[in-house]
Amino acid sequence: MFDAHVHIIDPRFPVVENHGYLPEPFTVADYRARTEGFGVDGGAVVTASYQGTDQNYLKAALAELGPSWVGVTQMELDTTDESILELDRAGVRAVRFNLRRSATDVKLLTKQALRAYELAGWHAEFYVDATLLLSLEPVFAKLPAVCIDHLGMSTRGLPYLLDLVDRGVRVKATGFGRTTIENVGDVLRKIHAVNPEALMFGTDLPGSRARRVFQDSDIDIVADAVGDDFDKVMGGNARAWYRCDTPGGRC
């Protein structure tokens, strides 16, 4: 299992109150205890809104988790090229845009995403409700590699999400209790039918602010929806997307 969406909240590093919220700590040790027995051999540590653009927590988490883990970061717009390359050497493989928690200048967003891709091959990850996906078409049309978090959060923009999937966009099968989707299995089946390479499973632990955090039974929902491609959705698709040559090698 490659856990494609994990938040590590290490109390050694600062967090920033966001919309009146501060998370409880969730360390690497906490994560390992919660997923013991799952066969996790890699994953992606994703920077949350309350972690701002702090890179020290992310580098520390990746160093502790090991070379089969990658990072997804948020950056200041004036981040230097060398800083991006340094983060790439530390295992970062994507830049995230959290459009649910903060306003973003679309032109500057596009410029930053393209620069990260051209410098280090990073893709862009978007935390956004599917209802806003169509408005982001000018951005998606310019970006060579895009991933959408948490199944797009709702079914209201599902037709457009499926169109994006048909054009190569990846979708994280994560945060089932975070979305407003009533039938997660049906959405998984529709995405998988368009592109079996698109779905990437993740626990979204610790599930900060979610109505319901990850449950072991979420894995059963995935298994029922994707059938023979279960192993790909649980690991293979994400390893390929994050450019991990082997489960034990540096991603």
Side-chain angles (χ1 to χ4, degrees):
M1 174 178 162
F2 185 97
D3 192 341
H5 202 96
V6 176
H7 299 292
I8 298 298
I9 307 163
D10 189 328
R12 295 177 299 170
F13 300 96
V15 292
V16 180
E17 185 175 305
N18 183 274
H19 291 204
Y21 177 82
L22 282 174
E24 294 294 322
F26 186 75
T27 65
V28 170
D30 293 329
Y31 173 77
R32 286 173 170 160
R34 174 63 183 88
T35 58
E36 186 177 7
F38 283 5
V40 176
D41 59 7
V45 177
V46 178
T47 298
S49 59
Y50 43 74
Q51 290 166 314
T53 56
D54 174 38
Q55 308 300 339
N56 292 318
Y57 104 86
L58 185 56
K59 289 188 283 188
L62 294 177
E64 185 173 355
L65 284 161
S68 60
W69 283 77
V70 299
V72 179
T73 192
Q74 297 172 158
M75 299 187 299
E76 298 288 351
L77 291 171
D78 60 356
T79 299
T80 66
D81 290 356
E82 180 51 40
S83 293
I84 292 174
L85 294 173
E86 179 186 353
L87 287 170
D88 186 71
R89 290 190 289 270
V92 175
R93 293 294 179 266
V95 59
R96 191 188 199 211
F97 301 100
N98 187 331
L99 304 186
R100 284 180 60 87
R101 307 292 181 197
S102 60
T104 303
D105 184 305
V106 171
K107 289 184 179 179
L108 294 177
L109 176 160
T110 306
K111 182 179 179 181
Q112 185 183 68
L114 285 172
R115 186 160 64 97
Y117 181 84
E118 291 164 0
L119 278 171
W122 292 2
H123 66 266
E125 299 197 0
F126 289 83
Y127 182 20
V128 58
D129 192 288
T131 54
L132 298 177
L133 288 177
L134 184 57
S135 68
L136 291 170
E137 172 60 25
V139 177
F140 296 147
K142 295 178 181 178
L143 299 185
V146 170
C147 174
I148 305 297
D149 288 348
H150 309 318
L151 299 175
M153 293 299 293
S154 74
T155 57
R156 289 173 292 177
L158 183 57
Y160 182 65
L161 178 61
L162 295 176
D163 177 66
L164 288 174
V165 170
D166 192 44
R167 288 187 270 158
V169 167
R170 271 34 177 191
V171 179
K172 289 194 176 180
T174 57
F176 298 168
R178 188 182 295 279
T179 75
T180 60
I181 299 170
E182 292 186 7
N183 191 335
V184 169
D186 182 61
V187 171
L188 291 171
R189 278 186 284 273
K190 288 178 178 177
I191 294 171
H192 182 255
V194 174
N195 182 2
E197 312 295 325
L199 287 170
M200 304 183 293
F201 176 78
T203 61
D204 187 36
L205 286 169
S208 303
R209 285 191 276 210
R211 292 176 294 104
R212 174 182 70 76
V213 301
F214 166 74
Q215 297 176 352
D216 294 7
S217 58
D218 289 343
I219 295 176
D220 298 328
I221 296 174
V222 175
D224 182 65
V226 304
D228 292 343
D229 287 327
F230 177 70
D231 287 345
K232 291 172 60 177
V233 174
M234 296 300 292
N237 288 347
R239 288 191 188 96
W241 182 245
Y242 284 104
R243 295 176 285 131
C244 300
D245 294 332
T246 62
R250 166 48 82 187
C251 293

